[in-house]
Amino acid sequence: MLVVISTFTVAPERQRELLDLLRANAEEVLRHQPGFVAADLLAAPDGTTVVNHARWTDAAAVRAMTADPVVRARMAPAWAITRPVVRQFTVASSHVAAE
């Protein structure tokens, strides 16, 4: 499993707009990409940050997604608002609440 964390710094008055764009992209495009597992969009309460926490099967799936012209075109409006800092991680450990 590969986790891709994209952090967007945004003006507070544009956070909702960015979230709406990212949500639509996830629902309409990304979730149909081979290797996509899941994604969570996180919004900072102060409005200045959005984090996309996405899970993919592997790095090859992420490379294919980022090279897809449909994905790139759909992300252009979000990138016009702000560009993300993107980091990739492997899952070293996972924990759930005790019952």
Side-chain angles (χ1 to χ4, degrees), residues 16-87:
R16 174 59 42 206
E17 178 186 5
L18 180 61
L19 284 165
D20 290 344
L21 286 167
L22 295 174
R23 184 179 302 108
N25 289 343
E27 283 295 317
E28 297 166 14
V29 178
L30 293 180
R31 71 187 194 108
H32 302 286
Q33 295 290 309
F36 178 82
V37 176
D40 299 301
L41 291 174
L42 311 173
D46 68 0
T48 64
T49 309
V50 171
V51 176
N52 183 2
H53 175 267
R55 291 170 300 289
W56 293 82
T57 54
D58 54 47
V62 173
R63 282 192 302 276
M65 176 272 297
T66 59
D68 185 326
V70 172
V71 172
R72 295 179 72 75
R74 285 299 301 263
M75 285 304 297
W79 291 337
I81 296 171
T82 184
R83 294 289 243 172
V85 173
V86 180
R87 304 267 325 260

